[in-house]
């Protein structure tokens, strides 16, 4: 189990519970990065981040194309000067219980449950590194940020 998330300063976990979309970066078979917007949830105690998606997506194809256990990925979110990135290895999970749990976590974070989708899978990321500046004060509504 990774303690990378839990070892971050105060405010880091809270930042990952706020409503923010993020990005997921996977690597194409030719090594070029593929970056897409996603909703992401984290389970800090387990050291895991999860992204729900369709099994036919490019991000799933990129994870599956990597050698076993070697799909290097990163998820990131930003809000003004606050940002957080989680890096690790990803695997595609298709088990119904895993998918249902990931959907429930998504619904809790984003305030809506996605419509049922028989093509849904989970990209599960074993987090090895957590970095960011998430402990900065939240910008006030309407306040310009850098």
């Amino acid at each position: 189990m990774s303690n990378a998330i839990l070892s971050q300063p105060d405010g880091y976990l809270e930042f990952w519970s706020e409503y923010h979309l993020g990005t997921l970066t996977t690597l194409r078979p030719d090594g070029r990065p593929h970056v897409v917007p996603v909703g992401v949830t984290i389970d800090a105690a387990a050291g895991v981040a999860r992204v729900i998606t369709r099994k036919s997506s490019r991000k799933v194809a990129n994870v599956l194309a990597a050698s076993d256990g070697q799909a290097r990925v990163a998820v990131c979110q930003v809000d003004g000067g606050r940002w957080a990135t989680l890096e690790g290895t990803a695997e595609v999970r298709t088990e119904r219980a895993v998918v249902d749990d990931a959907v429930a976590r998504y619904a809790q974070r984003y305030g809506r449950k996605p419509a049922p989708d028989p093509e849904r899978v989970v990209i599960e990321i074993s987090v090895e590194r957590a970095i960011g500046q998430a402990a900065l004060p939240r910008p006030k509504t309407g306040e310009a940020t850098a």
Side-chain angles (χ1 to χ4, degrees):
M1 177 175 78
S2 170
N3 67 359
I5 300 168
L6 294 176
S7 67
Q8 294 303 302
D10 291 342
Y12 197 83
L13 281 175
E14 180 183 337
F15 186 51
W16 279 106
S17 68
E18 296 170 9
Y19 187 106
H20 299 288
L21 292 178
T23 59
L24 170 68
T25 302
T26 58
L27 298 176
R28 294 179 177 99
D30 65 5
R32 292 180 302 140
H34 175 72
V35 183
V36 292
V38 294
V40 59
T41 62
I42 65 168
D43 179 344
V48 171
R50 294 178 181 92
V51 172
I52 57 176
T53 188
R54 294 182 60 93
K55 66 182 174 184
S56 60
S57 71
R58 165 50 50 195
K59 54 192 163 286
V60 167
N62 291 342
V63 171
L64 293 175
S67 301
D68 288 339
Q70 300 303 312
R72 307 293 304 163
V73 302
V75 287
C76 181
Q77 65 180 22
V78 63
D79 179 33
R82 298 184 313 147
W83 62 276
T85 299
L86 302 172
E87 300 173 356
T89 55
E91 66 178 305
V92 177
R93 303 285 305 269
T94 60
E95 305 93 333
R96 179 61 30 216
V98 172
V99 173
D100 289 347
D101 178 63
V103 167
R105 290 172 186 272
Y106 179 97
Q108 182 178 3
R109 180 170 187 199
Y110 293 103
R112 70 170 191 84
K113 185 174 182 179
D117 184 349
E119 299 290 307
R120 183 168 288 127
V121 297
V122 177
I123 296 176
E124 189 172 87
I125 304 159
S126 296
V127 176
E128 298 165 2
R129 185 172 184 226
I131 56 175
Q133 292 288 329
L136 299 172
R138 291 182 79 171
K140 295 177 185 165
T141 304
E143 182 177 292
T145 58

